[in-house]
Amino acid sequence: MKKRLEHWHKVNIALVIFDIIGINLAYLFALFLRFDFTYSYIPQLYFQTFIKMIPIYTIVSLIVFNMMKMYQSLWRFAGVTELLRGLIASIITSIFYIIFSAFVFVRMPISYYIMGGIIQFLLVTGVRFTYRLFNMITDNLKARPNMERVLIYGAGEAGRLIYNDIKNYKNIKYDVVGFIDDNANKHGRYISSTPILGGREIVAQTVEDLDVDSIILALPSASRNHIKDIIDVCKESGAKLKTLPSIEGLLDNKNVNVNNIRDVQIEDLLERKQIKVNSQHTLDNIKGKTILVTGGGGSIGSELSRQIARNKPKRLILFDIYENSLYAIEQELRRTYPELDLVALIGSVRDPKKLDDLFFEYRPQIVYHAAAHKHVPLMEVSPIEAIKNNVFGTYNTAFAALRYKVEKFILISTDKAVNPTNIMGATKRMCEMIIQSMDHISKTKDDSILPKFKSEKYSIIRPYDKDFTSNFVAVRFGNVLGSNGSVIPLFKKQIAEGGPVTVTHKDIIRYFMTIPEAVGLVIEAGFNAKGGEIFVLDMGEPVKIDTLARNLIKLSGLKPDVDIDIVYTGLRPGEKLYEEKLMAEEGLQKTDNQIIHIAKPMDIDFSEFFKNMSILGDLVEDNVYKESLDILAKVVVTYHSPDSDLEMNKDKFEELYKESK
């Protein structure tokens, strides 16, 4: 079966043939030039030397050209590197010609050698750059349908590299119509044949005049505030916005190219600088440790897993009930970190026996507890499930951590736990109380106050000693951009479908942070944990959801209320107009990181708290709806469900407690 020649094979064969012709013509032309293009003036000794020398020289030249990778380069994209290779190859071959001909045959005139080498260089490299020029001209002459007309904002090195990348590749979907740059000295100049049109003040008019589809921000070294200012200007132009990662992000890829371009994300418009946590000293705390992440397949859990994996733990254990998301992060980590000792387990934090087996076998040293039900409206209609999963899932995991002497247990909490108006927030506040209670037991070595449940599911637990050593902390933060359940993916989906975008209330506000920031806080809290703290992030100014939606529409190159309608649907059950970062009863203590604070723990009657836990555990096991909410409201005094009694009769409470016993 014949092997089909690829296009590049054909090009290389053509180049070899041309090089043979070019080498011979170069020195023949040099010989005639030396003697005024008159054959009779050429001494026969010189002509015979040329005839004898040229076959040897041609073979040597082809070998040198191959060694200099002149047949491996992509000449469509030839540049300075290829030019230097051609020059060096011509110098090497010319030196060989001079030495070999002089010692083996006869020394030719110096002008012959010089002119021969120069002409050879011009012919050999010239044909290659002519090939590139021909392709550039034909590419520009070809019809390029469905091309995005783009402006590049930034006429610096990054902008030039992106421009060259776009021009060099046939299949790139962009057609660059101009540059924008705030440096007035560049205005009116050109990069290749493309003009630098002006500064930010002309963006809107330029987009309209030149029918621009997208603006690419090529400013990887600019500060976050500078980028935000530029985005604020560009998003009003009606063009889509795309950008390059920061210079730190580009360092991972080593090169600036068109593949680095991404859509501008809403986090680029956060009303504060991006928060950096996790000094190397902090991350070194992970190195060499066995670490468990519950809810490892979720948005927070998976990012935790990535940051932990890159810092070389002894073993990383991912535990999740949802197999699809767990499988996805497991495969990603195995591809990215093939040397990582990774264990992915399916299971529920609602199963204390499963947790006991896990802790007994793997003995984790640090536990990040991210498993939870988080969707506010869903938990409002399924409160028993919220209590089972959030409250008792946390209790089961924390109790296992206590028994097996985990060094640090870090709970992922939420600002919805502050003065909660919904089931999800109330259960997460109760989770924080569990953490404080477990830390109390760890420090006092007194587990006699732990709840006693009727259910057999809690009865079989391996014996343990009471020399507890664990530190339990909680980390509280706001909404996470791009997480499962975040409004951002919903808004993007609605925009892609042509709208409308649904906002619950025009004045609703939320605190936002990125997933890496949230995870950074969690890791830093684990490092700084002394036990019993609730860590709170200073999240800057809150963001109006209505503004968030309108900015997303603008970043997509569309106009709110014109191209995409915004519909206000009303607050959902249990939803607040605003979220709080801490309770009135709590105060904030500073940490070494000025952005991370510690909420002063509220006083808790731990014995009474676990007494309530006993009742609640038995009620939810029996799916008793109203009384479960009554107990939840009694424990979380800042929350009252519409379905619970505001004042529980003491006799009724004692009766429920006796029944639970």
Side-chain angles (χ1 to χ4, degrees):
M1 185 177 178
K2 290 185 178 180
K3 188 175 180 181
R4 179 175 170 271
L5 281 177
E6 299 291 341
H7 174 72
W8 68 273
H9 287 136
K10 296 176 183 178
V11 171
N12 279 347
I13 291 171
L15 283 174
V16 169
I17 293 171
F18 183 85
D19 286 345
I20 292 171
I21 296 171
I23 291 166
N24 285 265
L25 284 177
Y27 281 91
L28 181 62
F29 185 85
L31 188 61
F32 273 88
L33 181 65
R34 170 64 179 78
F35 294 100
D36 299 329
F37 291 99
T38 304
Y39 176 75
S40 59
Y41 290 177
I42 303 173
Q44 286 299 304
L45 183 61
Y46 286 171
F47 194 80
Q48 290 172 4
T49 299
F50 166 77
I51 296 295
K52 293 175 183 178
M53 181 66 194
I54 204 67
I56 300 169
Y57 178 69
T58 300
I59 294 171
V60 171
S61 295
L62 293 177
I63 293 171
V64 172
F65 290 174
N66 187 60
M67 291 173 62
M68 295 302 296
K69 303 187 185 304
M70 293 178 66
Y71 300 116
Q72 287 81 42
S73 296
L74 293 172
W75 290 99
R76 174 183 293 275
F77 313 122
V80 175
T81 301
E82 285 72 26
L83 189 67
L84 287 174
R85 285 177 180 170
L87 178 61
I88 293 170
S90 294
I91 291 172
I92 292 172
T93 54
S94 296
I95 292 172
F96 168 79
Y97 196 115
I98 295 169
I99 295 173
F100 194 86
S101 66
F103 281 93
V104 176
F105 299 109
V106 67
R107 189 180 74 80
M108 305 281 276
I110 293 297
S111 58
Y112 165 76
Y113 292 128
I114 294 173
M115 291 307 301
I118 292 173
I119 296 168
Q120 173 188 298
F121 169 72
L122 293 175
L123 288 174
V124 168
T125 58
V127 71
R128 286 160 167 80
F129 281 88
T130 301
Y131 175 72
R132 176 187 176 179
L133 181 62
F134 172 78
N135 279 288
M136 287 175 62
I137 293 171
T138 54
D139 285 349
N140 288 331
L141 291 176
K142 287 178 183 177
R144 304 177 82 181
N146 303 320
M147 297 296 291
E148 279 191 41
R149 293 173 63 80
V150 301
L151 280 174
I152 296 178
Y153 200 120
E157 184 66 14
R160 185 187 65 78
L161 290 171
I162 288 295
Y163 174 81
N164 289 340
D165 220 29
I166 290 172
K167 289 296 183 183
N168 284 337
Y169 285 91
K170 281 184 180 179
N171 298 325
I172 297 301
K173 61 182 180 180
Y174 304 129
D175 182 18
V176 181
V177 298
F179 286 85
I180 297 292
D181 198 284
D182 291 329
N183 185 347
N185 292 326
K186 297 180 180 180
H187 298 171
R189 298 186 181 185
Y190 288 80
I191 292 180
S192 293
S193 58
T194 303
I196 303 171
L197 300 167
R200 68 181 69 184
E201 67 280 354
I202 69 163
V203 168
Q205 191 62 47
T206 303
V207 167
E208 183 179 348
D209 292 345
L210 300 182
D211 196 23
V212 172
D213 299 304
S214 300
I215 300 172
I216 299 173
L217 306 182
L219 302 162
S221 61
S223 69
R224 188 180 185 87
N225 287 340
H226 186 201
I227 290 291
K228 182 183 177 302
D229 290 342
I230 292 171
I231 292 174
D232 283 337
V233 171
C234 292
K235 69 182 172 65
E236 302 300 330
S237 69
K240 296 178 185 176
L241 295 188
K242 301 177 184 294
T243 188
L244 293 172
S246 65
I247 196 69
E248 292 86 356
L250 288 173
L251 288 175
D252 293 336
N253 296 327
K254 307 301 181 189
N255 296 306
V256 177
N257 58 56
V258 75
N259 294 323
N260 299 132
I261 296 173
R262 64 167 175 82
D263 290 340
V264 169
Q265 304 294 335
I266 199 67
E267 46 262 50
D268 296 317
L269 288 171
L270 280 179
E271 297 294 327
R272 55 167 170 77
K273 294 180 180 179
Q274 187 166 13
I275 294 167
K276 290 186 181 274
V277 289
N278 293 355
S279 64
Q280 192 56 49
H281 184 57
T282 302
L283 294 172
D284 285 344
N285 184 54
I286 294 169
K287 192 173 182 179
K289 299 285 181 69
T290 297
I291 298 174
L292 167 65
V293 179
T294 70
S299 50
I300 295 295
S302 58
E303 178 62 21
L304 263 169
S305 303
R306 293 183 191 98
Q307 293 197 25
I308 292 167
R310 73 173 64 112
N311 286 283
K312 300 181 180 179
K314 178 181 179 182
R315 173 178 286 161
L316 176 58
I317 308 158
L318 305 183
F319 188 65
D320 204 301
I321 190 62
Y322 183 46
E323 61 176 316
N324 291 350
S325 60
L326 183 63
Y327 177 78
I329 187 62
E330 179 198 19
Q331 295 304 304
E332 177 189 330
L333 293 178
R334 291 197 188 283
R335 287 192 305 270
T336 310
Y337 306 101
E339 303 301 319
L340 175 66
D341 186 352
L342 178 66
V343 179
L345 300 173
I346 296 292
S348 173
V349 291
R350 291 159 66 161
D351 185 349
K353 296 175 185 176
K354 174 71 176 179
L355 287 169
D356 193 57
D357 289 340
L358 186 160
F359 277 77
F360 178 77
E361 180 173 357
Y362 295 105
R363 307 293 171 133
Q365 294 162 279
I366 300 175
V367 175
Y368 295 98
H369 182 54
H373 287 329
K374 304 178 183 73
H375 294 262
V376 171
L378 288 178
M379 295 307 99
E380 287 301 297
V381 295
S382 301
I384 298 298
E385 295 306 306
I387 296 171
K388 286 180 181 178
N389 197 71
N390 293 359
V391 174
F392 288 96
T394 298
Y395 172 79
N396 294 336
T397 313
F399 186 29
L402 182 75
R403 298 195 309 273
Y404 288 94
K405 298 179 176 56
V406 165
E407 292 176 14
K408 293 179 180 179
F409 182 101
I410 301 97
L411 165 74
I412 311 300
S413 190
T414 169
D415 56 2
K416 292 178 177 62
V418 183
N419 297 321
T421 58
N422 52 64
I423 289 290
M424 196 282 280
T427 58
K428 293 300 283 184
R429 175 55 191 152
M430 198 163 176
C431 292
E432 292 179 353
M433 297 170 77
I434 290 170
I435 293 309
Q436 291 176 288
S437 301
M438 285 294 181
D439 196 72
H440 169 77
I441 291 174
S442 180
K443 287 179 169 55
T444 61
K445 319 296 184 188
D446 178 16
D447 66 347
S448 63
I449 60 174
L450 285 169
K452 309 297 189 295
F453 302 104
K454 289 192 301 184
S455 174
E456 291 184 2
K457 67 184 288 186
Y458 298 98
S459 61
I460 303 175
I461 295 175
R462 290 180 176 89
Y464 61 91
D465 66 65
K466 298 182 181 182
D467 185 24
F468 306 128
T469 58
S470 303
N471 290 317
F472 293 85
V473 298
V475 184
R476 186 189 292 164
F477 47 77
N479 298 273
V480 180
L481 290 168
S483 67
N484 298 331
S486 166
V487 294
I488 306 303
L490 173 62
F491 287 168
K492 287 182 177 178
K493 185 171 184 287
Q494 291 173 335
I495 292 168
E497 293 171 350
V501 171
T502 56
V503 178
T504 56
H505 194 285
K506 191 169 185 176
D507 297 321
I508 193 169
I509 63 172
R510 291 290 181 266
Y511 292 98
F512 281 99
M513 59 194 308
T514 65
I515 293 177
E517 285 176 333
V519 168
L521 171 65
V522 171
I523 292 175
E524 182 134 333
F527 174 73
N528 291 312
K530 301 294 188 295
E533 302 101 330
I534 297 175
F535 289 89
V536 181
L537 175 66
D538 182 356
M539 292 175 285
E541 295 300 315
V543 178
K544 288 184 70 171
I545 301 299
D546 183 56
T547 303
L548 192 75
R550 292 177 183 276
N551 281 335
L552 267 177
I553 294 170
K554 291 176 183 177
L555 292 178
S556 302
L558 302 168
K559 294 180 180 178
D561 302 318
V562 177
D563 301 313
I564 301 287
D565 290 331
I566 296 178
V567 175
Y568 302 102
T569 58
L571 291 175
R572 299 172 296 180
E575 191 169 38
K576 293 180 181 181
L577 271 179
Y578 61 94
E579 302 291 359
E580 303 162 87
K581 287 183 287 186
L582 70 162
M583 299 182 181
E585 297 91 340
E586 295 173 330
L588 287 181
Q589 301 172 5
K590 292 183 178 180
T591 66
D592 292 338
N593 187 323
Q594 296 183 5
I595 300 172
I596 299 175
H597 305 278
I598 301 173
K600 184 179 179 181
M602 293 174 61
D603 291 331
I604 299 174
D605 185 331
F606 299 111
S607 180
E608 181 71 12
F609 173 73
F610 282 126
K611 188 176 180 181
N612 289 317
M613 283 276 295
S614 299
I615 302 170
L616 186 60
D618 294 330
L619 288 172
V620 296
E621 282 300 310
D622 295 333
N623 290 306
V624 180
Y625 177 83
K626 187 175 182 303
E627 284 81 356
S628 295
L629 297 188
D630 290 341
I631 295 295
L632 185 63
K634 177 180 173 60
V635 174
V636 183
V637 295
T638 53
Y639 163 76
H640 289 294
S641 163
D643 297 322
S644 70
D645 292 328
L646 293 183
E647 294 293 338
M648 178 179 287
N649 183 284
K650 185 177 179 181
D651 293 337
K652 180 180 177 182
F653 172 75
E654 292 297 337
E655 182 181 343
L656 286 171
Y657 180 66
K658 288 177 182 177
E659 289 176 0
S660 73
K661 298 286 282 185

